[in-house]
Amino acid sequence: MDEAERERGPWRRNLRVLWFCTFVAGMAFSEIMPFLSLYISSLGNYTKSQVTMYSGLVYAADFFVSAIASPLWGMVADRKGRKLMLLRSSLGMAVAMGLMGFATSVWQLVALRALQGVFAGFISNAQALVASQTPRKHSGASLSTLMTGVTSGMLLGPVIGGVLAQLFSIRLTFFITAGLLLLTFFLSWIFVEEQFKPVVHQPNAQHSHNPLAAFPNPKLILVLLSSTLIVQFGNISISPIISLYVKELMHNVGPITVVAGIIAALPGISNIIAAPRLGRYGDHHGSGKVLLFGYIFATVMYLPQGFVTSVWMLGILRFMIGISDGALFPEIQTLLTKNSPVELTSTVFSWNQSFQSIGNMLGSLLGGWIAGIFNYNAVFISTAILMLINLAIVWWLIPEIRKPQIQVAND
């Protein structure tokens, strides 16, 4: 599909519909996450250490299976279409989420979270569909805008989930979440239009064993995928300890849970504001420049979080982190789009999701481990060092990223 065809296509409507769908999906995913541990403790007479262990298993099951399944679904998407994958993912996860409401043991919950991982990929396929249909001169702004849908939903999800759990029950919240995912299934089915043309690949013995051979710059793709893992690792490693850090800064006095919730939400708020603007800037001045800015800004903002003595200063710095996230994640996706053949868009986005899932899993496990061995502030300092290392990797291994525009793959 050339640029003229894309410009005439339904990309604007798809972006609007999928923004709402990713908003609903993000809300559905996040509204049950804060209460999984409470749900697990209600399934048996477990000690505190058992609940902690089982919670880790339940959280990790989804990410582990998703990391394996995502690349396989990505290859199917590039052969059969991204809309089909949207329908597969939303319907499958609706079923898995609904069944979680009937779980009577922690092992059933682990199995159903693993099943959810099998069907994961709604957001990555929405990104792939938008990327493949949007004129490339608008891809940065479009992908950044789409990311605000996910972020907005994930911001509201815990609040709505808390209200639902308080008014009804945690078990009923699973059924409501399944209903929301079913809504995204019908919206995607009815309103999303994909101009999909399967590509017939000619057999090539030289490339048959190298999945990166079809990409014009394989090293760039690998560095960008690794960057997704590192950035996600840094973000998720903070999540398990942020409320405990707030509690320490407030000296265990005052409305700690309310303040912790606000602090946790601040990066999402600034991300919604900054991401579309940074995306448009990247489209005009180069996505590589925005990406480098994101790493530098993240390093500068993460490091002092380990030394703050006031919850107000922590809040300001956490708000700033949303700006760096608005530069990093959408621009990584934009650069993957601009440097991938169109027929492999879903494949590369599924790889990106797989690396993100690995970052989720490692960040969840190691963030608490680092805090346990050292202290809460060590998690922020180690994340700043990770961002600096990632910046050095990008700077030295991909020198062309410093140029105004990186070479775009031919359609």
Side-chain angles (χ1 to χ4, degrees):
M1 184 189 300
D2 59 29
E3 289 296 287
E5 286 180 295
R6 293 186 187 201
E7 194 69 58
R8 293 191 301 269
W11 66 275
R12 289 184 177 87
R13 186 183 70 178
N14 285 343
L15 178 60
R16 288 192 294 269
V17 173
L18 289 175
W19 185 95
F20 182 75
C21 286
T22 54
F23 169 79
V24 173
M27 186 167 59
F29 298 147
S30 64
E31 70 179 3
I32 56 97
M33 293 303 285
F35 313 109
L36 269 179
S37 296
L38 295 175
Y39 190 50
I40 290 165
S41 64
S42 72
L43 296 176
N45 294 318
Y46 303 124
T47 64
K48 182 179 177 180
S49 60
Q50 285 177 320
V51 170
T52 303
M53 182 189 70
Y54 288 142
S55 295
L57 285 174
V58 170
Y59 275 91
D62 181 4
F63 299 136
F64 177 74
V65 175
S66 175
I68 298 170
S70 293
L72 303 176
W73 287 122
M75 290 187 288
V76 176
D78 283 327
R79 289 171 171 81
K80 302 296 183 180
R82 290 102 196 183
K83 179 176 177 177
L84 179 63
M85 293 298 101
L86 291 176
L87 302 179
R88 181 270 310 169
S89 179
S90 54
L91 184 60
M93 287 192 295
V95 172
M97 196 70 72
L99 290 174
M100 287 182 204
F102 294 107
T104 56
S105 77
V106 70
W107 297 112
Q108 289 177 4
L109 196 57
V110 169
L112 290 169
R113 285 280 294 173
L115 180 65
Q116 183 179 332
V118 172
F119 290 108
F122 183 87
I123 290 170
S124 64
N125 277 288
Q127 292 166 340
L129 191 146
V130 168
S132 65
Q133 304 288 301
T134 302
R136 296 206 168 187
K137 64 182 179 181
H138 299 301
S139 60
S142 296
L143 287 168
S144 298
T145 299
L146 191 65
M147 280 295 293
T148 66
V150 183
T151 306
S152 303
M154 296 190 77
L155 272 175
L156 285 177
V159 178
I160 295 173
V163 172
L164 291 172
Q166 185 70 32
L167 291 177
F168 304 106
S169 68
I170 297 175
R171 198 174 286 274
L172 183 61
T173 305
F174 284 101
F175 301 137
I176 296 172
T177 302
L180 289 173
L181 290 168
L182 202 58
L183 174 63
T184 65
F185 169 80
F186 286 111
L187 289 173
S188 301
W189 183 18
I190 296 168
F191 295 109
V192 172
E193 180 182 348
E194 182 180 19
Q195 298 175 326
F196 180 70
K197 297 178 181 177
V199 177
V200 179
H201 297 280
Q202 297 299 324
N204 189 328
Q206 183 180 356
H207 293 165
S208 58
H209 300 295
N210 185 357
L212 289 169
F215 294 87
N217 191 341
K219 184 169 69 173
L220 172 65
I221 300 299
L222 281 176
V223 170
L224 290 173
L225 293 174
S226 301
S227 297
T228 291
L229 189 155
I230 293 171
V231 175
Q232 190 66 12
F233 176 94
N235 276 342
I236 296 299
S237 67
I238 304 296
S239 298
I241 58 96
I242 191 70
S243 59
L244 300 173
Y245 196 40
V246 168
K247 180 179 179 181
E248 183 179 272
L249 291 173
M250 294 179 67
H251 307 290
N252 203 20
V253 176
I256 294 169
T257 55
V258 174
V259 175
I262 294 171
I263 295 291
L266 286 173
I269 296 171
S270 55
N271 184 283
I272 293 168
I273 298 169
R277 291 166 174 80
L278 290 168
R280 285 192 291 271
Y281 182 90
D283 284 337
H284 289 96
H285 301 283
S287 298
K289 292 172 66 175
V290 177
L291 187 64
L292 294 175
F293 158 77
Y295 283 120
I296 296 169
F297 194 76
T299 303
V300 172
M301 291 300 130
Y302 269 121
L303 189 60
Q305 290 179 55
F307 301 97
V308 295
T309 56
S310 163
V311 73
W312 300 105
M313 183 56 66
L314 178 64
I316 292 170
L317 292 170
R318 294 302 296 164
F319 181 84
M320 294 300 177
I321 286 299
I323 298 174
S324 64
D325 282 346
L328 292 170
F329 283 119
E331 296 310 316
I332 288 172
Q333 293 163 359
T334 300
L335 289 170
L336 286 171
T337 299
K338 292 180 176 179
N339 293 274
S340 301
V342 174
E343 66 270 16
L344 293 177
T345 302
S346 288
T347 294
V348 78
F349 270 80
S350 66
W351 290 349
N352 193 56
Q353 184 192 358
S354 186
F355 275 72
Q356 193 168 354
S357 295
I358 295 170
N360 279 329
M361 187 170 60
L362 294 177
S364 299
L365 295 173
L366 295 182
W369 179 74
I370 292 171
I373 292 180
F374 302 101
N375 204 344
Y376 301 136
N377 59 352
V379 183
F380 296 99
I381 296 168
S382 62
T383 300
I385 294 171
L386 268 178
M387 294 299 108
L388 197 59
I389 292 171
N390 203 167
L391 172 63
I393 291 171
V394 170
W395 184 268
W396 292 111
L397 292 184
I398 312 293
E400 62 267 35
I401 209 165
R402 308 170 213 163
K403 299 176 183 178
Q405 295 289 346
I406 292 181
Q407 177 70 33
V408 176
N410 294 328
D411 290 351

